[in-house]
Coordinates of all heavy atoms in Angstrom, one line a residue:
M1 N -39.9 -16.8 -21.3 CA -38.4 -16.9 -21.3 C -37.8 -16.5 -20.0 O -38.2 -15.4 -19.5 CB -37.9 -16.0 -22.4 CG -36.4 -16.0 -22.5 SD -35.8 -14.8 -23.7 CE -35.6 -15.9 -25.1
K2 N -37.0 -17.3 -19.4 CA -36.4 -17.0 -18.1 C -35.3 -16.0 -18.4 O -34.6 -16.1 -19.3 CB -35.9 -18.2 -17.5 CG -36.9 -19.1 -16.9 CD -36.1 -20.3 -16.1 CE -37.2 -21.1 -15.4 NZ -36.4 -22.2 -14.7
K3 N -35.2 -15.1 -17.3 CA -34.0 -14.1 -17.4 C -32.8 -14.9 -16.8 O -32.9 -15.7 -15.9 CB -34.3 -12.9 -16.5 CG -35.3 -12.0 -17.2 CD -35.3 -10.7 -16.3 CE -36.2 -9.7 -16.9 NZ -36.3 -8.5 -16.1
N4 N -31.6 -14.6 -17.4 CA -30.4 -15.1 -16.8 C -30.1 -14.3 -15.5 O -29.8 -13.1 -15.7 CB -29.3 -15.0 -17.9 CG -28.0 -15.7 -17.4 OD1 -27.9 -15.9 -16.2 ND2 -27.2 -15.9 -18.4
P5 N -30.0 -15.0 -14.4 CA -29.8 -14.3 -13.1 C -28.4 -13.6 -13.1 O -28.2 -12.5 -12.5 CB -29.8 -15.3 -12.0 CG -29.8 -16.6 -12.7 CD -30.2 -16.4 -14.1
K6 N -27.4 -14.1 -13.7 CA -26.1 -13.5 -13.9 C -26.1 -12.2 -14.6 O -25.4 -11.3 -14.3 CB -25.0 -14.5 -14.5 CG -24.7 -15.6 -13.5 CD -23.7 -16.5 -14.0 CE -23.4 -17.6 -13.1 NZ -22.3 -18.5 -13.5
K7 N -26.9 -12.2 -15.7 CA -27.0 -11.0 -16.5 C -27.6 -9.8 -15.7 O -27.4 -8.6 -16.0 CB -27.7 -11.3 -17.8 CG -26.9 -12.1 -18.7 CD -26.9 -11.5 -20.1 CE -26.0 -12.5 -21.0 NZ -25.4 -11.7 -22.0
S8 N -28.5 -10.2 -14.9 CA -29.3 -9.1 -14.2 C -28.6 -8.5 -12.9 O -28.9 -7.6 -12.4 CB -30.7 -9.7 -13.7 OG -30.5 -10.7 -12.8
Q9 N -27.5 -9.2 -12.6 CA -26.7 -8.7 -11.4 C -26.0 -7.5 -11.8 O -25.3 -7.5 -12.9 CB -25.8 -9.8 -10.9 CG -26.4 -10.8 -10.1 CD -25.4 -11.8 -9.5 OE1 -24.2 -11.9 -10.0 NE2 -25.7 -12.5 -8.5
K10 N -26.1 -6.4 -11.1 CA -25.3 -5.1 -11.3 C -24.0 -5.4 -10.7 O -23.7 -5.9 -9.6 CB -26.0 -4.1 -10.6 CG -25.3 -2.7 -10.8 CD -26.0 -1.7 -9.9 CE -25.4 -0.3 -10.2 NZ -24.0 -0.2 -9.8
T11 N -22.9 -4.9 -11.5 CA -21.5 -4.9 -11.1 C -21.4 -3.8 -10.1 O -21.9 -2.6 -10.3 CB -20.5 -4.7 -12.2 OG1 -20.7 -5.8 -13.0 CG2 -19.1 -4.7 -11.6
L12 N -20.8 -4.0 -8.9 CA -20.5 -3.0 -7.9 C -19.1 -2.6 -7.8 O -18.2 -3.5 -7.5 CB -21.0 -3.5 -6.5 CG -21.1 -2.6 -5.4 CD1 -22.1 -1.5 -5.6 CD2 -21.6 -3.4 -4.1
K13 N -18.7 -1.4 -8.2 CA -17.4 -1.0 -8.2 C -17.1 -0.3 -6.8 O -17.7 0.7 -6.5 CB -17.3 0.0 -9.3 CG -15.8 0.4 -9.5 CD -15.6 1.5 -10.6 CE -15.7 1.0 -12.0 NZ -15.3 2.1 -12.9
I14 N -16.1 -1.0 -6.1 CA -15.8 -0.6 -4.8 C -14.3 -0.1 -4.8 O -13.4 -0.9 -5.0 CB -16.0 -1.6 -3.7 CG1 -17.5 -2.1 -3.7 CG2 -15.6 -1.2 -2.4 CD1 -17.8 -3.2 -2.7
M15 N -14.1 1.1 -4.5 CA -12.7 1.7 -4.3 C -12.2 1.5 -3.0 O -12.9 2.0 -2.0 CB -12.7 3.1 -4.8 CG -11.3 3.8 -4.8 SD -11.2 5.4 -5.4 CE -11.4 5.2 -7.2
V16 N -11.2 0.8 -2.8 CA -10.6 0.5 -1.5 C -9.3 1.3 -1.3 O -8.4 1.1 -2.1 CB -10.2 -1.0 -1.3 CG1 -9.7 -1.3 0.1 CG2 -11.5 -1.8 -1.5
I17 N -9.2 2.3 -0.4 CA -8.1 3.2 -0.2 C -7.5 2.8 1.1 O -7.9 2.7 2.2 CB -8.6 4.7 -0.1 CG1 -9.4 4.9 -1.4 CG2 -7.4 5.6 0.1 CD1 -10.1 6.3 -1.3
A18 N -6.1 2.6 1.0 CA -5.2 2.3 2.0 C -3.9 3.0 1.9 O -3.4 3.3 0.7 CB -5.0 0.8 2.2
G19 N -3.2 3.2 2.9 CA -1.9 3.9 2.7 C -0.8 3.5 3.8 O 0.3 3.8 3.7
A20 N -1.3 3.0 4.9 CA -0.4 2.6 6.0 C -0.7 1.2 6.4 O -1.7 0.6 6.1 CB -0.7 3.5 7.2
R21 N 0.3 0.6 7.2 CA 0.4 -0.8 7.6 C -1.0 -1.2 8.2 O -1.5 -2.2 8.0 CB 1.5 -1.1 8.5 CG 2.9 -1.1 7.7 CD 4.0 -1.2 8.7 NE 4.0 0.1 9.4 CZ 4.9 0.4 10.4 NH1 5.8 -0.5 10.8 NH2 4.8 1.5 11.0
P22 N -1.5 -0.5 9.3 CA -2.8 -0.9 9.8 C -3.9 -1.0 8.8 O -4.8 -2.0 8.8 CB -3.1 0.2 10.8 CG -1.8 0.9 11.1 CD -1.0 0.8 9.9
N23 N -3.9 -0.2 7.8 CA -4.9 -0.2 6.7 C -4.7 -1.5 5.9 O -5.7 -2.1 5.5 CB -4.8 1.0 5.8 CG -5.0 2.3 6.6 OD1 -4.2 3.2 6.3 ND2 -6.0 2.4 7.4
F24 N -3.5 -1.8 5.6 CA -3.2 -3.0 4.8 C -3.8 -4.3 5.5 O -4.4 -5.1 4.8 CB -1.8 -3.2 4.5 CG -1.1 -2.0 3.9 CD1 0.2 -1.8 4.1 CD2 -1.7 -1.2 3.0 CE1 0.9 -0.7 3.6 CE2 -1.2 -0.1 2.5 CZ 0.2 0.2 2.7
M25 N -3.6 -4.3 6.8 CA -4.1 -5.5 7.5 C -5.6 -5.6 7.5 O -6.2 -6.6 7.6 CB -3.5 -5.5 8.9 CG -2.0 -5.9 9.0 SD -1.4 -5.9 10.6 CE -0.6 -4.3 10.8
K26 N -6.3 -4.4 7.5 CA -7.6 -4.4 7.5 C -8.4 -4.7 6.2 O -9.4 -5.3 6.1 CB -8.2 -2.9 8.0 CG -7.9 -2.6 9.4 CD -8.2 -1.2 9.7 CE -7.8 -0.7 11.1 NZ -8.0 0.7 11.3
I27 N -7.6 -4.4 5.1 CA -8.2 -4.6 3.8 C -8.1 -6.0 3.3 O -8.8 -6.4 2.4 CB -7.8 -3.6 2.7 CG1 -6.3 -3.6 2.4 CG2 -8.1 -2.1 3.1 CD1 -5.8 -2.9 1.1
A28 N -7.0 -6.7 3.8 CA -6.7 -8.1 3.3 C -7.9 -8.9 3.4 O -8.3 -9.6 2.4 CB -5.5 -8.6 4.0
P29 N -8.5 -9.1 4.5 CA -9.7 -10.0 4.6 C -10.9 -9.5 3.8 O -11.7 -10.4 3.2 CB -10.0 -10.1 6.1 CG -9.4 -9.0 6.7 CD -8.3 -8.5 5.9
I30 N -11.0 -8.2 3.6 CA -12.1 -7.6 2.8 C -11.9 -8.0 1.3 O -12.9 -8.4 0.7 CB -12.2 -6.2 3.0 CG1 -12.6 -5.8 4.5 CG2 -13.2 -5.5 2.1 CD1 -12.4 -4.3 4.9
L31 N -10.7 -7.8 0.9 CA -10.4 -8.1 -0.5 C -10.6 -9.7 -0.8 O -11.0 -10.1 -1.8 CB -9.1 -7.6 -0.9 CG -8.9 -6.1 -0.9 CD1 -7.4 -5.7 -1.1 CD2 -9.7 -5.6 -2.0
R32 N -10.3 -10.5 0.2 CA -10.4 -11.9 0.1 C -11.9 -12.2 0.0 O -12.3 -13.1 -0.9 CB -9.8 -12.7 1.2 CG -8.3 -12.9 1.2 CD -7.8 -14.0 2.1 NE -8.0 -13.6 3.5 CZ -7.2 -12.8 4.2 NH1 -6.0 -12.3 3.7 NH2 -7.4 -12.5 5.5
E33 N -12.7 -11.6 0.7 CA -14.2 -11.8 0.6 C -14.7 -11.3 -0.7 O -15.6 -12.0 -1.3 CB -14.9 -11.1 1.8 CG -16.4 -11.3 1.9 CD -16.8 -12.8 2.1 OE1 -16.0 -13.6 2.6 OE2 -18.0 -13.1 1.6
F34 N -14.3 -10.2 -1.2 CA -14.7 -9.7 -2.5 C -14.5 -10.7 -3.6 O -15.3 -10.8 -4.5 CB -13.9 -8.4 -2.8 CG -14.4 -7.1 -2.1 CD1 -13.6 -6.0 -2.3 CD2 -15.4 -7.2 -1.2 CE1 -14.0 -4.9 -1.7 CE2 -15.8 -6.1 -0.6 CZ -15.1 -4.9 -0.9
K35 N -13.4 -11.5 -3.5 CA -13.2 -12.6 -4.5 C -14.3 -13.6 -4.6 O -14.5 -14.2 -5.7 CB -11.9 -13.3 -4.2 CG -10.6 -12.5 -4.5 CD -9.4 -13.3 -4.2 CE -8.1 -12.5 -4.4 NZ -6.9 -13.2 -4.0
R36 N -15.0 -13.8 -3.6 CA -16.1 -14.6 -3.6 C -17.5 -14.1 -4.2 O -18.4 -14.9 -4.4 CB -16.5 -15.1 -2.1 CG -15.4 -15.8 -1.4 CD -15.7 -16.1 0.0 NE -17.2 -16.2 0.2 CZ -17.8 -16.8 1.2 NH1 -17.2 -17.4 2.0 NH2 -19.2 -16.8 1.3
H37 N -17.4 -12.9 -4.6 CA -18.6 -12.2 -5.1 C -18.1 -11.6 -6.5 O -17.6 -10.5 -6.6 CB -19.0 -11.1 -4.2 CG -19.3 -11.6 -2.8 ND1 -20.6 -12.2 -2.6 CD2 -18.6 -11.7 -1.7 CE1 -20.6 -12.6 -1.3 NE2 -19.3 -12.2 -0.8
P38 N -18.4 -12.3 -7.6 CA -17.9 -11.9 -8.9 C -18.6 -10.5 -9.3 O -18.1 -9.9 -10.2 CB -18.3 -13.0 -9.8 CG -19.3 -13.8 -9.1 CD -19.0 -13.6 -7.6
Q39 N -19.7 -10.2 -8.7 CA -20.4 -8.9 -9.0 C -19.6 -7.7 -8.4 O -19.9 -6.6 -8.8 CB -21.8 -8.9 -8.6 CG -22.0 -8.7 -7.1 CD -22.0 -10.1 -6.3 OE1 -21.5 -11.1 -6.8 NE2 -22.6 -10.1 -5.2
I40 N -18.6 -7.9 -7.6 CA -17.8 -6.9 -7.0 C -16.6 -6.6 -7.8 O -15.8 -7.6 -8.0 CB -17.5 -7.1 -5.5 CG1 -18.8 -7.1 -4.7 CG2 -16.5 -6.0 -5.0 CD1 -18.6 -7.4 -3.3
T41 N -16.3 -5.5 -8.2 CA -15.1 -5.1 -8.9 C -14.3 -4.1 -8.0 O -14.7 -2.9 -7.8 CB -15.3 -4.4 -10.2 OG1 -16.1 -5.2 -11.1 CG2 -14.0 -4.0 -11.0
P42 N -13.2 -4.6 -7.3 CA -12.5 -3.7 -6.4 C -11.4 -3.0 -7.1 O -10.9 -3.4 -8.2 CB -11.8 -4.7 -5.4 CG -11.7 -5.9 -6.2 CD -12.9 -6.0 -7.2
I43 N -11.2 -1.7 -6.7 CA -10.2 -0.8 -7.3 C -9.4 -0.5 -6.0 O -9.8 0.2 -5.2 CB -10.8 0.4 -7.9 CG1 -11.8 0.1 -9.1 CG2 -9.7 1.3 -8.4 CD1 -12.6 1.3 -9.4
I44 N -8.1 -1.0 -6.0 CA -7.2 -0.8 -4.9 C -6.4 0.4 -5.1 O -5.7 0.6 -6.1 CB -6.4 -2.0 -4.7 CG1 -7.3 -3.3 -4.5 CG2 -5.4 -1.8 -3.4 CD1 -6.4 -4.6 -4.5
V45 N -6.4 1.4 -4.1 CA -5.7 2.6 -4.2 C -4.8 2.7 -3.1 O -5.1 2.6 -1.9 CB -6.6 3.9 -4.2 CG1 -5.9 5.2 -4.3 CG2 -7.6 3.8 -5.4
H46 N -3.5 2.8 -3.4 CA -2.4 3.0 -2.3 C -2.0 4.4 -2.3 O -1.5 5.0 -3.2 CB -1.3 2.2 -2.7 CG -0.2 2.1 -1.6 ND1 0.1 3.0 -0.7 CD2 0.7 1.0 -1.4 CE1 1.1 2.7 0.1 NE2 1.5 1.5 -0.3
T47 N -2.3 5.1 -1.1 CA -2.1 6.6 -1.1 C -0.5 6.8 -1.0 O -0.1 8.0 -1.2 CB -2.7 7.2 0.1 OG1 -2.2 6.6 1.4 CG2 -4.2 7.1 0.0
G48 N 0.2 5.8 -0.8 CA 1.7 6.0 -0.6 C 2.2 6.6 0.6 O 3.4 6.9 0.6
Q49 N 1.5 6.5 1.7 CA 1.9 7.0 2.9 C 3.1 6.3 3.3 O 4.0 6.8 3.8 CB 0.8 6.9 3.9 CG 1.1 7.4 5.4 CD 0.1 7.3 6.4 OE1 -1.1 7.1 6.0 NE2 0.4 7.4 7.7
H50 N 3.0 4.9 3.2 CA 4.2 4.1 3.4 C 4.7 3.6 2.1 O 4.2 2.7 1.5 CB 3.9 2.9 4.3 CG 3.7 3.2 5.7 ND1 4.5 4.1 6.4 CD2 2.7 2.8 6.6 CE1 4.1 4.2 7.7 NE2 3.0 3.4 7.8
H51 N 5.6 4.4 1.5 CA 6.1 4.1 0.2 C 7.4 3.2 0.1 O 7.7 2.7 -0.9 CB 6.4 5.3 -0.6 CG 7.3 6.3 0.2 ND1 8.6 6.2 0.2 CD2 6.9 7.3 1.0 CE1 9.1 7.3 1.0 NE2 8.0 7.9 1.4
D52 N 8.0 3.0 1.3 CA 9.2 2.2 1.3 C 8.7 0.7 1.2 O 7.7 0.2 1.8 CB 9.8 2.3 2.8 CG 11.1 1.5 2.9 OD1 11.0 0.3 2.7 OD2 12.1 2.1 3.3
P53 N 9.4 -0.1 0.3 CA 9.0 -1.5 0.1 C 8.9 -2.3 1.4 O 8.1 -3.2 1.4 CB 10.1 -2.0 -0.8 CG 10.7 -0.8 -1.5 CD 10.5 0.3 -0.5
L54 N 9.8 -2.0 2.3 CA 9.7 -2.8 3.6 C 8.4 -2.5 4.5 O 8.0 -3.2 5.3 CB 11.0 -2.5 4.5 CG 12.3 -3.0 3.9 CD1 13.4 -2.6 4.8 CD2 12.2 -4.6 3.9
M55 N 7.9 -1.3 4.2 CA 6.7 -0.9 5.0 C 5.4 -1.0 4.1 O 4.3 -0.7 4.6 CB 6.8 0.5 5.4 CG 8.0 0.7 6.4 SD 8.2 2.3 6.9 CE 6.9 2.4 8.2
S56 N 5.6 -1.4 2.9 CA 4.4 -1.5 2.0 C 4.3 -2.8 1.2 O 3.5 -3.7 1.5 CB 4.5 -0.3 1.1 OG 3.3 -0.3 0.2
D57 N 5.2 -2.9 0.2 CA 5.3 -4.2 -0.6 C 5.3 -5.5 0.2 O 4.5 -6.4 -0.1 CB 6.4 -4.1 -1.6 CG 6.4 -3.0 -2.5 OD1 5.4 -2.3 -2.6 OD2 7.4 -2.7 -3.2
T58 N 6.0 -5.5 1.3 CA 6.2 -6.7 2.1 C 4.8 -7.1 2.7 O 4.4 -8.3 2.7 CB 7.1 -6.4 3.3 OG1 8.4 -6.0 2.7 CG2 7.3 -7.6 4.1
F59 N 4.1 -6.1 3.1 CA 2.7 -6.3 3.7 C 1.8 -6.8 2.5 O 0.9 -7.7 2.8 CB 2.1 -5.1 4.3 CG 2.7 -4.9 5.7 CD1 3.9 -4.2 5.9 CD2 2.2 -5.5 6.8 CE1 4.4 -4.0 7.2 CE2 2.7 -5.4 8.1 CZ 3.9 -4.7 8.3
F60 N 1.8 -6.2 1.4 CA 0.9 -6.6 0.3 C 1.3 -8.1 -0.1 O 0.3 -8.8 -0.2 CB 1.2 -5.8 -0.9 CG 0.3 -4.6 -1.0 CD1 0.5 -3.5 -0.1 CD2 -0.6 -4.4 -1.9 CE1 -0.3 -2.3 -0.2 CE2 -1.4 -3.2 -2.0 CZ -1.3 -2.2 -1.1
K61 N 2.5 -8.5 -0.1 CA 2.9 -9.8 -0.5 C 2.4 -10.8 0.7 O 1.8 -11.8 0.4 CB 4.4 -10.0 -0.8 CG 4.7 -9.4 -2.1 CD 6.2 -9.3 -2.4 CE 6.6 -8.6 -3.5 NZ 8.0 -8.4 -3.6
S62 N 2.9 -10.6 1.9 CA 2.6 -11.5 3.0 C 1.0 -11.6 3.3 O 0.6 -12.7 3.8 CB 3.3 -11.0 4.2 OG 2.8 -9.8 4.7
L63 N 0.3 -10.6 3.0 CA -1.2 -10.6 3.3 C -2.0 -11.0 2.1 O -3.2 -11.2 2.1 CB -1.7 -9.3 3.8 CG -1.1 -8.8 5.1 CD1 -1.4 -7.3 5.4 CD2 -1.6 -9.6 6.3
G64 N -1.4 -11.2 1.0 CA -2.0 -11.7 -0.2 C -2.9 -10.6 -0.9 O -3.9 -10.9 -1.5
I65 N -2.5 -9.4 -0.7 CA -3.2 -8.2 -1.4 C -2.6 -8.1 -2.7 O -1.5 -8.0 -3.0 CB -3.0 -6.9 -0.5 CG1 -3.5 -7.2 0.9 CG2 -3.7 -5.8 -1.3 CD1 -3.1 -6.0 1.8
P66 N -3.6 -8.0 -3.7 CA -3.1 -7.7 -5.1 C -2.4 -6.4 -5.2 O -2.7 -5.5 -4.4 CB -4.3 -7.8 -5.9 CG -5.4 -8.3 -5.1 CD -5.0 -8.1 -3.6
S67 N -1.6 -6.3 -6.2 CA -0.9 -4.9 -6.4 C -2.0 -3.8 -6.7 O -3.1 -4.1 -7.2 CB -0.1 -5.0 -7.7 OG 1.0 -5.9 -7.5
P68 N -1.8 -2.7 -6.1 CA -2.8 -1.7 -6.2 C -2.9 -1.2 -7.7 O -2.0 -1.2 -8.5 CB -2.2 -0.5 -5.4 CG -0.8 -0.8 -5.2 CD -0.6 -2.2 -5.4
H69 N -4.2 -0.8 -8.0 CA -4.4 -0.3 -9.4 C -3.9 1.0 -9.5 O -3.5 1.4 -10.7 CB -6.0 -0.2 -9.6 CG -6.6 -1.6 -9.5 ND1 -7.1 -2.1 -8.4 CD2 -6.8 -2.5 -10.5 CE1 -7.7 -3.3 -8.7 NE2 -7.4 -3.5 -9.9
Y70 N -3.8 1.8 -8.4 CA -3.3 3.2 -8.3 C -2.3 3.3 -7.1 O -2.8 2.8 -6.1 CB -4.3 4.2 -8.3 CG -5.3 4.2 -9.5 CD1 -6.5 3.5 -9.4 CD2 -4.9 4.9 -10.7 CE1 -7.4 3.4 -10.6 CE2 -5.8 4.8 -11.8 CZ -7.0 4.1 -11.6 OH -7.8 4.1 -12.7
N71 N -1.2 3.9 -7.4 CA -0.3 4.2 -6.3 C 0.2 5.6 -6.3 O 0.9 5.9 -7.4 CB 0.9 3.1 -6.3 CG 1.7 3.2 -5.1 OD1 1.8 4.2 -4.4 ND2 2.3 2.1 -4.7
F72 N 0.0 6.3 -5.3 CA 0.3 7.8 -5.4 C 1.8 8.0 -5.0 O 2.3 9.1 -5.2 CB -0.6 8.6 -4.4 CG -2.0 8.7 -4.8 CD1 -2.9 9.0 -3.8 CD2 -2.6 8.2 -6.0 CE1 -4.4 9.0 -4.1 CE2 -3.8 8.2 -6.3 CZ -4.8 8.6 -5.3
R73 N 2.4 7.0 -4.5 CA 3.9 7.2 -4.1 C 4.1 8.4 -3.3 O 4.8 9.4 -3.8 CB 4.7 7.1 -5.2 CG 4.4 5.8 -6.1 CD 5.7 5.2 -6.6 NE 5.4 4.1 -7.5 CZ 5.2 2.8 -7.2 NH1 5.2 2.5 -6.0 NH2 4.9 1.9 -8.2
G74 N 3.5 8.6 -2.2 CA 3.4 9.8 -1.4 C 4.6 10.5 -0.9 O 4.6 11.0 0.2
V75 N 5.6 10.5 -1.6 CA 6.8 11.3 -1.2 C 6.6 12.8 -1.3 O 6.2 13.3 -2.4 CB 8.1 10.9 -1.9 CG1 9.2 11.7 -1.5 CG2 8.3 9.4 -1.9
S76 N 6.7 13.5 -0.3 CA 6.5 15.0 -0.3 C 7.2 15.7 0.9 O 7.7 15.0 1.8 CB 4.9 15.4 -0.2 OG 4.4 14.9 1.0
A77 N 7.4 16.9 0.7 CA 8.2 17.7 1.7 C 7.6 17.8 3.1 O 8.2 17.9 4.1 CB 8.5 19.1 1.1
S78 N 6.2 17.8 3.1 CA 5.5 17.9 4.4 C 4.3 17.1 4.4 O 3.8 16.6 3.4 CB 5.2 19.4 4.6 OG 4.1 19.8 3.8
A79 N 3.7 16.9 5.6 CA 2.5 16.1 5.8 C 1.4 16.9 5.1 O 0.5 16.3 4.5 CB 2.2 16.0 7.3
T80 N 1.4 18.3 5.2 CA 0.3 19.1 4.6 C 0.3 18.9 3.1 O -0.7 18.8 2.5 CB 0.5 20.5 5.0 OG1 0.6 20.7 6.4 CG2 -0.6 21.4 4.5
T81 N 1.5 18.9 2.5 CA 1.6 18.8 1.1 C 1.1 17.4 0.6 O 0.4 17.2 -0.4 CB 3.1 19.0 0.6 OG1 3.5 20.3 1.0 CG2 3.2 18.8 -1.0
F82 N 1.5 16.4 1.5 CA 1.1 15.0 1.2 C -0.4 14.8 1.2 O -1.0 14.4 0.3 CB 1.8 14.0 2.1 CG 1.2 12.6 2.1 CD1 1.5 11.8 1.0 CD2 0.3 12.2 3.0 CE1 1.0 10.5 0.9 CE2 -0.4 10.9 2.9 CZ 0.0 10.1 1.8
I83 N -1.0 15.4 2.3 CA -2.5 15.4 2.4 C -3.1 16.2 1.2 O -4.1 15.6 0.6 CB -2.9 16.0 3.7 CG1 -2.4 15.1 4.8 CG2 -4.4 16.1 3.8 CD1 -2.6 15.7 6.2
G84 N -2.7 17.3 0.9 CA -3.2 18.1 -0.3 C -3.1 17.3 -1.6 O -4.1 17.3 -2.4
N85 N -1.9 16.7 -1.9 CA -1.7 16.0 -3.1 C -2.6 14.8 -3.1 O -3.2 14.4 -4.2 CB -0.3 15.5 -3.2 CG 0.6 16.7 -3.5 OD1 0.2 17.7 -4.0 ND2 1.9 16.5 -3.2
T86 N -2.9 14.1 -2.0 CA -3.7 12.9 -1.9 C -5.2 13.3 -2.2 O -5.9 12.6 -2.9 CB -3.6 12.2 -0.5 OG1 -2.2 11.9 -0.3 CG2 -4.5 11.1 -0.5
I87 N -5.6 14.4 -1.8 CA -7.0 14.9 -1.9 C -7.1 15.1 -3.5 O -8.1 14.7 -4.1 CB -7.3 16.1 -1.2 CG1 -7.4 15.7 0.4 CG2 -8.6 16.8 -1.6 CD1 -7.5 16.9 1.4
V88 N -6.2 15.8 -4.1 CA -6.2 16.1 -5.5 C -6.3 14.8 -6.3 O -7.1 14.7 -7.2 CB -5.1 17.0 -5.9 CG1 -5.0 17.2 -7.5 CG2 -5.2 18.4 -5.3
E89 N -5.4 13.9 -6.0 CA -5.4 12.6 -6.7 C -6.7 11.8 -6.6 O -7.2 11.2 -7.5 CB -4.1 11.8 -6.3 CG -2.8 12.3 -6.8 CD -2.7 12.3 -8.3 OE1 -3.1 11.4 -8.9 OE2 -2.3 13.4 -8.9
L90 N -7.2 11.8 -5.3 CA -8.4 11.1 -5.1 C -9.6 11.6 -5.9 O -10.5 11.0 -6.5 CB -8.8 11.0 -3.6 CG -7.9 10.1 -2.8 CD1 -8.2 10.2 -1.3 CD2 -8.2 8.6 -3.3
D91 N -9.7 13.0 -5.9 CA -10.7 13.7 -6.7 C -10.7 13.3 -8.1 O -11.7 13.0 -8.8 CB -10.6 15.2 -6.5 CG -11.7 16.0 -7.1 OD1 -12.9 15.7 -6.8 OD2 -11.4 16.9 -7.8
R92 N -9.4 13.3 -8.7 CA -9.2 12.9 -10.0 C -9.7 11.5 -10.3 O -10.4 11.2 -11.2 CB -7.7 13.0 -10.4 CG -7.4 12.7 -11.9 CD -5.9 12.7 -12.1 NE -5.2 11.7 -11.4 CZ -5.1 10.5 -11.7 NH1 -5.8 9.9 -12.7 NH2 -4.4 9.6 -10.9
L93 N -9.4 10.6 -9.4 CA -9.7 9.1 -9.5 C -11.2 9.0 -9.4 O -11.9 8.1 -10.1 CB -9.0 8.4 -8.4 CG -7.7 7.7 -8.7 CD1 -7.2 6.9 -7.6 CD2 -7.8 6.9 -10.0
Y94 N -11.9 9.7 -8.5 CA -13.3 9.6 -8.2 C -14.0 9.9 -9.6 O -14.9 9.2 -10.0 CB -13.9 10.5 -7.2 CG -13.4 10.1 -5.8 CD1 -13.3 11.2 -4.9 CD2 -13.0 8.9 -5.5 CE1 -12.9 10.9 -3.7 CE2 -12.6 8.6 -4.1 CZ -12.5 9.6 -3.3 OH -12.1 9.4 -1.9
A95 N -13.5 10.9 -10.3 CA -14.1 11.3 -11.6 C -13.9 10.3 -12.6 O -14.7 10.1 -13.5 CB -13.6 12.8 -12.0
K96 N -12.7 9.8 -12.7 CA -12.3 8.8 -13.7 C -13.0 7.4 -13.4 O -13.6 6.9 -14.4 CB -10.8 8.5 -13.7 CG -10.3 7.5 -14.6 CD -8.8 7.4 -14.5 CE -8.4 6.2 -15.5 NZ -6.9 5.9 -15.3
E97 N -13.0 6.9 -12.3 CA -13.4 5.5 -12.0 C -15.0 5.4 -11.6 O -15.6 4.4 -11.8 CB -12.7 4.9 -10.9 CG -11.3 4.6 -11.2 CD -11.1 3.5 -12.2 OE1 -12.1 2.7 -12.5 OE2 -10.0 3.3 -12.7
R98 N -15.4 6.6 -11.1 CA -16.9 6.7 -10.6 C -17.3 5.4 -9.9 O -18.2 4.7 -10.3 CB -17.7 6.9 -11.9 CG -17.4 8.1 -12.7 CD -18.2 8.5 -13.7 NE -19.6 8.7 -13.4 CZ -20.1 9.8 -12.7 NH1 -19.4 10.8 -12.4 NH2 -21.4 9.8 -12.5
P99 N -16.6 5.2 -8.7 CA -17.0 4.0 -7.9 C -18.4 4.2 -7.2 O -18.9 5.2 -7.1 CB -15.9 4.1 -6.8 CG -15.5 5.4 -6.7 CD -15.6 6.1 -8.0
D100 N -19.0 3.0 -7.0 CA -20.3 3.0 -6.3 C -20.1 3.3 -4.9 O -20.9 3.8 -4.2 CB -20.9 1.7 -6.6 CG -21.3 1.4 -8.0 OD1 -22.1 2.3 -8.6 OD2 -20.7 0.5 -8.6
I101 N -19.0 2.7 -4.3 CA -18.7 2.8 -2.9 C -17.2 3.1 -2.8 O -16.4 2.6 -3.5 CB -19.0 1.4 -2.2 CG1 -20.5 1.2 -2.3 CG2 -18.5 1.5 -0.7 CD1 -20.8 -0.3 -1.7
V102 N -16.8 3.9 -1.8 CA -15.5 4.2 -1.5 C -15.3 3.7 0.0 O -16.0 4.1 0.9 CB -15.1 5.6 -1.5 CG1 -13.6 5.9 -1.0 CG2 -15.3 6.2 -2.9
L103 N -14.3 2.7 0.2 CA -14.0 2.1 1.5 C -12.6 2.6 2.0 O -11.6 2.4 1.3 CB -14.1 0.7 1.4 CG -13.7 -0.2 2.6 CD1 -14.7 0.1 3.7 CD2 -13.6 -1.6 2.2
V104 N -12.6 3.2 3.1 CA -11.4 3.7 3.8 C -11.4 3.1 5.1 O -12.1 3.6 6.0 CB -11.3 5.3 3.8 CG1 -9.9 5.7 4.4 CG2 -11.5 5.9 2.5
P105 N -10.5 2.1 5.3 CA -10.5 1.4 6.7 C -9.8 2.3 7.7 O -9.0 3.1 7.5 CB -9.7 0.2 6.4 CG -8.9 0.4 5.2 CD -9.5 1.5 4.4

């Protein structure tokens, strides 16, 4: 009996983390390539560094990036608080999603 090659392929869960305009431009072609590989399950995380729609949503739409699975909406009083909150949220997500790979452009 032959094995079904599709059944033997392992799904690869890749968490893609972005938060600023340069990152959005870098992940767009990567996410397009992921679409060609059904064994890859991307998880898009927006850290919320650019939470203004003109600096975030516009880029997602124009670059064809799907809506993020998680959005931290990074409004905070200081850069230090933002970084600390982002680390805590990412730690929670790693435990929840258990990605095989984390990609931070």
